[in-house]
Amino acid sequence: MDGRAVDGRAVAGPAPVILNQLGSVVGERIAAHPSRPTVLEHEAGRPPWEVPAGVEILLTRPLIGWETAPASPPDGWGHRLRWIQSASTGMDVYPPWLLEGGPVVTCARGVSAAPVADYVMTAVLAFEKQWDGLRLRGPEDWRRATLGSPAGKRLGLAGFGAIGRAVAERARAFGLAVGAVRRTGWAEPEAGIEPFDRLETLAAVSDHLVLALPLTPNTRGLVGAGLLARAKPGLHLVNVAHGALVDQDALLAAIDGGRIAGATLDVTDPEPLPAGHPFYRHPAIRLTPHVSWSAPESEERLADRILANLDRHVRGQPLPDVVDARTGY
């Protein structure tokens, strides 16, 4: 025993060595943890899978180089790692070997649910209130318009995890009926939520359809020509999950054909879309640069989650939000 304690409980064993790839806010909070960890900062330009010897915990995020990771784990990978914490919920950017047969991997499920839900409702209200078209640039633009209303409309949720629940709470406050499909089915009813077994059925009756699903081999291209052809005419699609959930060519055709009224896309495939892509200037499509998760307190919330997990790790307790290697989330 070396005198360290967490919440008044003595902690045995050496202090953990942590490689932090999440920036200074998280690094400073983690360094102050009562377990007295040694926190190593990520070297700029170094591949994220090159973990120095002796590191026990890796704090990482997508899009810092993982998308170019080798197909097989490099020599010596993970031989001392016991735990990897991702700053994201989705794990599709990471190589499969990150999840397979090595250290436990946890995700940040639910950390960004509130800002993502706020973004969704902003998209819904902007669509209903014709926000883009109302702006006056001179007296010649002055005209009367009959605006829409969310009240009495239906919002469909493809996915009912933390983000889906946060969206549903806000949507009901605006008078929207909420329907949802979920991967695990509906063992028991959810208050205020109409359960659906099939996404096609939900899309056929929804005015706004929100994608909040993980990207897996089964969900890639889920929103394609077939589903869009069965969607309710005038549907507004909102994607805050993964660009590859949507067949983008099919979406463009459905919008140009008049079946789909518009789309708000915070994610695309690839990111960013190449110069000249028709989505950039299409009047019925609003693109944003994958920022729905962001908020002034985002980094602090992530640090709070990691600190709570670090408490459990140093006590030898099971960690929450462990990623299942079989499903990828």
Side-chain angles (χ1 to χ4, degrees):
M1 196 76 67
D2 62 7
R4 294 177 300 119
V6 177
D7 290 345
R9 301 182 187 180
V11 176
V17 179
I18 301 173
L19 177 59
N20 173 40
Q21 298 176 342
L22 303 182
S24 60
V25 172
V26 170
E28 291 170 5
R29 294 279 306 279
I30 297 301
H33 189 265
S35 64
R36 302 176 190 170
T38 298
V39 179
L40 308 178
E41 294 300 324
H42 181 65
E43 296 179 16
R46 187 171 186 173
W49 56 86
E50 289 188 3
V51 178
V55 170
E56 176 185 345
I57 300 168
L58 173 63
L59 310 179
T60 191
R61 67 168 81 246
L63 304 180
I64 59 170
W66 284 110
E67 63 276 15
T68 63
S72 300
D75 291 342
W77 162 256
H79 69 284
R80 286 288 305 274
L81 279 175
R82 295 179 56 197
W83 167 34
I84 299 172
Q85 170 73 57
S86 174
S88 65
T89 301
M91 303 298 293
D92 52 287
V93 172
Y94 297 109
W97 50 260
L98 188 82
L99 306 177
E100 296 170 352
V104 63
V105 179
T106 57
C107 67
R109 189 175 292 121
V111 168
S112 299
V116 172
D118 291 344
Y119 174 100
V120 169
M121 291 311 303
T122 300
V124 168
L125 292 171
F127 179 87
E128 291 289 350
K129 298 302 181 182
Q130 305 170 36
W131 202 245
D132 292 335
L134 284 178
R135 183 177 178 181
L136 301 179
R137 293 172 175 81
E140 67 277 6
D141 293 333
W142 187 274
R143 63 195 179 280
R144 299 295 181 183
T146 300
L147 305 183
S149 172
K153 304 286 180 63
R154 184 194 304 274
L155 183 142
L157 288 165
F160 197 65
I163 290 173
R165 291 177 184 276
V167 172
E169 178 183 3
R170 289 158 175 75
R172 291 197 301 268
F174 280 93
L176 285 151
V178 179
V181 293
R182 65 190 308 183
R183 174 185 60 87
T184 56
W186 300 92
E188 54 187 45
E190 292 275 352
I193 306 298
E194 184 178 359
F196 285 77
D197 294 327
R198 292 172 51 81
L199 182 57
E200 292 82 359
T201 307
L202 178 62
V205 297
S206 294
D207 301 285
H208 304 270
L209 181 63
V210 180
L211 304 183
L213 292 164
L215 180 62
T216 70
N218 292 331
T219 61
R220 184 176 293 274
L222 184 67
V223 179
L227 184 141
L228 293 169
R230 297 179 179 88
K232 182 177 180 178
L235 175 73
H236 171 221
L237 179 71
V238 182
N239 190 1
V240 291
H242 302 275
L245 294 172
V246 178
D247 180 332
Q248 294 172 166
D249 292 337
L251 175 60
L252 183 61
I255 292 175
D256 287 343
R259 182 77 183 187
I260 304 301
T264 302
L265 307 175
D266 189 47
V267 287
T268 57
D269 183 27
E271 291 183 356
L273 292 172
H277 193 282
F279 279 10
Y280 282 119
R281 297 188 179 276
H282 200 292
I285 297 175
R286 177 186 283 106
L287 289 181
T288 56
H290 202 156
V291 292
S292 60
W293 58 271
S294 65
E297 68 279 7
S298 293
E299 294 300 304
E300 292 292 351
R301 287 183 177 179
L302 176 61
D304 289 342
R305 171 66 63 83
I306 296 172
L307 286 168
N309 282 352
L310 185 55
D311 285 348
R312 299 180 67 88
H313 174 78
V314 298
R315 294 176 185 149
Q317 298 173 340
L319 299 176
D321 300 316
V322 172
V323 178
D324 187 333
R326 296 169 300 175
T327 62
Y329 56 90

